[in-house]
Amino acid sequence: MLLLLMLPIVQLIHGLDVSKFVPKVSADNSPCKSCKILIQSFEKGLERTKNGHFGGGNTAWEEKNLLTYSKSEIRFVEIHDSLCTELSQDQDMCFHLSSEHEHHLKEWWTDGRQEDLYQWFCVDKLKVCCPPKHYGPECLPCTGYPNVCNSHGTCKGDGTRKGNGSCKCKNGYEGTNCDHCADNYFVILKNNTFTCEKCHKSCKDSCKTSGPKGCNECKDGWVYMGEGEGCVDVDECLEQDVCTSQQFCVNNDGSYSCLSCDPSCTDCYGDGNDMCYNCASGYIMKDRKCIGRFVFLVKFFIF
């Protein structure tokens, strides 16, 4: 009997989209990321209340004789009470952090807010983050500091208490400090800086400048035609018997493709029934097109 009574409830729960009731959490929920989210929410509160004042009564007298609203505890409470409410994800984590460390936030507020809140709260007080371009438990400088990774990569652990400070180079760069060009890239020097540009698609592994003329060696499917042209595509379709008789050849950069002829053809030189050398069984050539015999007879008797 009890099971029968519970059945509608079970069916109702089964039909619900449970994901709507699960708090949304970002993929990166590290302590530093959580702290940044809280500080960003606090800064939005500062912006939202920057033109506020004491409500009711003689506002001019209150501003003169009491603490100004901008530095008042009332403003702090207004900001703190609305912390994290604007978030669509990580809200529970933000609420927990703001509640747990309300006394720290209030300490920063009452001390005159002289220091940057992120630096004071996340880096110095909670010690869950590092200043930019620093990493790890001791907030050591990242590789190449201050020009971290030659501006061609990112520091592993940058701004957090994690990572090893090594460089993760962008595509085309390599080396401990991302100070070399990777294979199939060449260097461009300008104003005491360098960038790595990708070689032309005809180059094999390396090049000295851009374009097909800059290749040190040509890839398969390309042939070197001297300094004036560099690496030029080989048209394999000009060679005999690269495809079967039921296929036609299409040249691509550095390669070629064999595509099937139209079903009306026994052999062909392109796509469609107007590209047949000879017609397949059941088809006849009419106006340089292979058409079905039945279609031809119908058209013949009608017209």
Side-chain angles (χ1 to χ4, degrees):
M1 183 66 179
L2 180 60
L3 290 175
L4 291 175
L5 292 173
M6 292 180 63
L7 183 59
I9 299 175
V10 173
Q11 291 174 333
L12 176 63
I13 294 175
H14 182 72
L16 288 176
D17 183 0
V18 181
S19 64
K20 294 180 179 179
F21 303 96
V22 178
K24 294 183 179 180
V25 180
S26 62
D28 179 9
N29 58 355
S30 64
C32 183
K33 177 66 178 299
S34 301
C35 194
K36 285 181 178 179
I37 290 173
L38 175 60
I39 297 307
Q40 288 168 359
S41 182
F42 197 97
E43 289 173 343
K44 288 179 181 178
L46 285 171
E47 179 66 22
R48 186 178 61 254
T49 59
K50 68 179 181 180
N51 295 321
H53 53 75
F54 294 109
N58 189 333
T59 302
W61 181 89
E62 290 174 337
E63 292 284 0
K64 180 179 179 181
N65 294 279
L66 303 176
L67 289 171
T68 61
Y69 172 80
S70 65
K71 299 178 181 179
S72 69
E73 184 172 349
I74 292 177
R75 186 186 180 195
F76 173 80
V77 172
E78 288 179 0
I79 294 172
H80 189 271
D81 286 351
S82 64
L83 280 177
C84 316
T85 55
E86 80 282 4
L87 298 175
S88 59
Q89 62 180 16
D90 299 317
Q91 193 177 68
D92 287 348
M93 170 274 299
C94 185
F95 281 141
H96 174 75
L97 196 62
S98 66
S99 176
E100 183 180 6
H101 297 287
E102 179 181 359
H103 61 290
H104 285 318
L105 293 171
K106 191 170 184 180
E107 179 186 349
W108 174 80
W109 185 269
T110 55
D111 283 350
R113 309 180 343 235
Q114 298 298 318
E115 297 183 60
D116 174 75
L117 179 56
Y118 170 75
Q119 175 71 33
W120 186 91
F121 186 72
C122 298
V123 178
D124 298 333
K125 188 64 68 172
L126 300 191
K127 299 185 185 303
V128 293
C129 298
C130 288
K133 301 183 180 182
H134 291 73
Y135 75 96
E138 304 300 323
C139 288
L140 300 174
C142 290
T143 301
Y145 180 86
N147 186 22
V148 174
C149 304
N150 265 305
S151 301
H152 298 311
T154 56
C155 168
K156 294 181 180 179
D158 186 3
T160 75
R161 297 279 171 157
K162 298 182 178 182
N164 57 13
S166 62
C167 291
K168 182 180 180 181
C169 301
K170 298 176 183 177
N171 287 340
Y173 299 87
E174 61 183 16
T176 304
N177 198 29
C178 304
D179 48 5
H180 299 293
C181 292
D183 287 347
N184 219 22
Y185 285 79
F186 67 98
V187 64
I188 296 178
L189 297 174
K190 186 177 181 180
N191 298 329
N192 295 323
T193 61
F194 81 98
T195 56
C196 295
E197 297 290 336
K198 193 170 181 61
C199 295
H200 189 263
K201 57 187 174 183
S202 63
C203 300
K204 182 179 180 180
D205 299 331
S206 65
C207 62
K208 49 187 176 291
T209 58
S210 61
K213 298 179 184 179
C215 301
N216 293 321
E217 186 178 353
C218 301
K219 282 183 180 177
D220 292 341
W222 304 79
V223 61
Y224 185 70
M225 298 297 289
E227 293 183 0
E229 296 184 74
C231 294
V232 176
D233 173 52
V234 175
D235 189 351
E236 293 87 353
C237 295
L238 297 178
E239 302 175 12
Q240 291 186 346
D241 301 327
V242 292
C243 299
T244 68
S245 60
Q246 288 80 38
Q247 296 175 322
F248 63 95
C249 182
V250 176
N251 187 55
N252 307 316
D253 284 345
S255 184
Y256 67 96
S257 301
C258 290
L259 304 180
S260 297
C261 294
D262 188 87
S264 63
C265 309
T266 56
D267 48 9
C268 64
Y269 54 92
D271 189 24
N273 67 345
D274 58 340
M275 298 283 188
C276 304
Y277 287 121
N278 298 285
C279 297
S281 177
Y283 294 86
I284 62 172
M285 185 72 73
K286 176 66 176 177
D287 297 328
R288 297 187 177 182
K289 293 182 180 180
C290 288
I291 59 176
R293 290 183 182 275
F294 178 77
V295 174
F296 171 74
L297 291 174
V298 170
K299 288 184 177 181
F300 178 79
F301 285 110
I302 292 178
F303 298 103

